[in-house]
Amino acid sequence: MEFVTGLKCVFCGATYSTRVTYTCPACGITGMLDVQYDYPAIAKHLTRRSLANRKEFSHWRYRELLPIRKDAVLPSLPVGWTPVVQTDSLARHLGLRTLYLKDDGRNPTGSLKDRASAVGVVKAREKQHKIIACASTGNAASSLAGMAASMGLKSVIFVPERAPEPKVTQLLIFGATVLRVRGGYEDAFQLSQSSCERWGWYNRNSAINPYLVEGKKTVGLEICEQLDWQVPDWVAVSVGDGCTIAGVWKAFHEMKTLGLIEGTPKMLGVQAAGAAPVTTAFSTGEPLKPIEPHTIADSIAVGVPRNWKKAVLAVQASGGTMINVEDEEILEAMRCTGRLTGIFAEPAAATAIAGVRRAVEEGIIGRKASVLAVVTGNGLKDIRSAQAAVTKPFDIAPDGTGLEDILKDQGFVS
Ligand SMILES: *Cc1c(COP(=O)(O)O)cnc(C)c1O
């Protein structure tokens, strides 16, 4: 916490010391707080050269920009420093010259949420809690369970009824106490809130906990360094609650403030058409109206996003925009990404790529622009949706009857 100066409400602008735990005391539960830092002091420590000498290849390499104590106990599971892959074939397919994917599906539990959960468990330990809880559509839950296991903390996790089975299985393997709520994410969220209050558990909901977005921003810090301080013109991020895109933008803003990059990218926020209240708030300029979400991209099926304001402010500040894509476009993005890059994106992650495609088609992103899409989660986490995107294998007998016909059909033999 060396460089943290306080917490600022994104609604009323009031500032508080870090003794405030979750949301703005004046605005109540909706008053999201943003962590403030002493950037001039950080700039003395965090330089291109000092970073080049650091041997810590995880997201903790940016510890000055994280709200953790100098002597903090860190989870032993390594988080972050996921690869940035340049992909010419997918770029061509989308009608672009330059496209990068940041493959955050390669985090320890398979999603970008590990970055937030890692900070969450460090804070829980610092505040001397032994139990940490959250509600999640799946990834925040499995990452919290994994990180808690790595730190020796207990986790209590509320998931909606339709959370994909692989994610729920991850939770159980990591030893979490899993409460599957007969209802949607909003029901799970409400129950986790009241349970944290009642039993005094540390609350890892990014909807109210100001520290988690700080973990999520490390993906943006890494992008700057991994691209040798030449940021792309656009960065595409899928949006559910809004915390991720707000974090990614904060990273670019901080890197610019520190003088480490010259310009900042425009942010492309992408929602599934059936769960797009943040896009609506962005384009109408009105406060968020809750909706009933319907999309195969379960990780971004959020009807009442709590970080919508941070997300809208981030996209506006970047000079970018928000768009929606249909489920069919998401499935197509899963197929072409897999086929052309070897990266298996879960639906919510492929949403960002589908968004890039649509933005290029609509002329929002120019064909000569450089673009990076964040692949926020691994496709193995949600097989049922992936199965909807692909065909079936060819079933054949062990003696190979019919094999030649299939190969002829596929154009392998003439
Ligand atoms: C959580 C999540 C997102 C969206 O992040 P928000 O902070 O909810 O906007 C996108 N993709 C995946 C895979 C996620 O798990």
Side-chain angles (χ1 to χ4, degrees):
M1 301 291 272
E2 236 185 315
F3 299 103
V4 173
T5 56
L7 300 167
K8 182 175 177 186
C9 177
V10 293
F11 283 90
C12 74
T15 54
Y16 301 96
S17 84
T18 52
R19 272 196 299 274
V20 170
T21 318
Y22 300 118
T23 54
C24 172
C27 295
I29 186 79
T30 58
M32 291 292 312
L33 295 173
D34 185 46
V35 182
Q36 309 285 298
Y37 296 86
D38 180 354
Y39 293 111
I42 293 174
K44 295 197 188 109
H45 296 262
L46 214 61
T47 61
R48 289 186 187 183
R49 187 184 297 165
S50 73
L51 280 167
N53 287 326
R54 290 191 181 174
K55 301 285 185 293
E56 174 73 71
F57 291 105
S58 76
H59 83 164
W60 304 116
R61 71 194 266 110
Y62 308 102
R63 61 182 175 273
E64 289 92 342
L65 287 169
L66 288 169
I68 57 169
R69 294 216 308 240
K70 220 175 171 181
D71 59 352
V73 181
L74 304 177
S76 45
L77 266 183
V79 179
W81 204 252
T82 55
V84 172
V85 184
Q86 183 167 1
T87 159
D88 292 341
S89 46
L90 186 58
R92 258 196 309 277
H93 185 75
L94 304 184
L96 274 171
R97 190 179 285 171
T98 312
L99 178 69
Y100 302 96
L101 300 180
K102 170 85 166 154
D103 187 8
D104 247 46
R106 286 175 51 169
N107 273 303
T109 79
S111 84
L112 184 146
K113 296 289 194 296
D114 284 342
R115 298 175 183 273
S117 293
V119 172
V121 293
V122 170
K123 296 308 285 182
R125 172 69 81 87
E126 184 186 303
K127 292 172 186 287
Q128 296 177 345
H129 286 273
K130 294 205 170 59
I131 301 172
I132 181 166
C134 81
S136 161
T137 57
N139 285 334
S142 49
S143 81
L144 176 60
M147 289 299 148
S150 158
M151 282 285 267
L153 296 171
K154 286 202 182 325
S155 57
V156 179
I157 295 173
F158 298 80
V159 295
E161 205 166 16
R162 60 143 194 262
E165 208 59 26
K167 295 181 185 177
V168 175
T169 308
Q170 263 186 308
L171 292 179
L172 297 166
I173 283 286
F174 295 145
T177 298
V178 184
L179 300 155
R180 186 155 53 190
V181 182
R182 276 193 296 277
Y185 171 73
E186 185 55 22
D187 301 297
F189 175 77
Q190 293 298 347
L191 196 54
S192 81
Q193 285 298 110
S194 55
S195 304
C196 281
E197 270 172 40
R198 176 149 179 219
W199 286 291
W201 305 327
Y202 190 64
N203 190 332
R204 182 248 177 260
N205 284 321
S206 24
I208 62 147
N209 188 314
Y211 298 116
L212 301 166
V213 67
E214 303 301 307
K216 288 185 177 179
K217 88 186 173 190
T218 59
V219 71
L221 303 175
E222 289 173 14
I223 290 168
C224 296
E225 195 179 355
Q226 289 173 310
L227 290 181
D228 209 14
W229 311 109
Q230 304 299 313
V231 292
D233 300 317
W234 286 85
V235 170
V237 182
S238 56
V239 176
D241 173 66
C243 179
T244 304
I245 198 164
V248 175
W249 168 249
K250 188 170 182 180
F252 293 121
H253 184 65
E254 288 184 332
M255 285 301 203
K256 174 117 195 297
T257 305
L258 293 170
L260 292 172
I261 55 173
E262 270 152 39
T264 49
K266 292 189 172 78
M267 305 297 296
L268 180 71
V270 190
Q271 292 213 285
V278 184
T279 303
T280 307
F282 177 85
S283 40
T284 60
E286 283 172 21
L288 186 111
K289 288 194 196 69
I291 54 103
E292 191 59 48
H294 294 288
T295 169
I296 51 152
D298 68 281
S299 302
I300 51 169
V302 184
V304 195
R306 298 300 192 299
N307 274 281
W308 70 273
K309 185 77 177 175
K310 268 191 185 173
V312 167
L313 292 174
V315 176
Q316 277 169 350
S318 78
T321 192
M322 292 206 50
I323 55 171
N324 300 337
V325 292
E326 301 295 334
D327 280 3
E328 199 35 65
E329 296 173 81
I330 295 172
L331 292 173
E332 167 54 22
M334 287 175 73
R335 277 191 297 268
C336 67
T337 304
R339 190 162 47 81
L340 297 171
T341 73
I343 293 174
F344 188 2
E346 72 160 85
T351 300
I353 296 160
V356 171
R357 174 174 215 162
R358 187 176 266 242
V360 172
E361 277 166 10
E362 291 184 4
I364 296 167
I365 295 182
R367 291 178 184 272
K368 290 184 181 154
S370 57
V371 180
L372 182 145
V374 182
V375 177
T376 43
N378 189 304
L380 286 172
K381 289 173 139 272
D382 184 5
I383 287 302
R384 219 175 323 147
S385 303
Q387 282 168 336
V390 292
T391 53
K392 293 240 165 20
F394 300 102
D395 291 315
I396 59 161
D399 68 1
T401 308
L403 176 59
E404 199 170 332
D405 290 338
I406 294 167
L407 294 179
K408 272 188 191 147
D409 225 38
Q410 295 292 303
F412 288 111
V413 293
S414 47

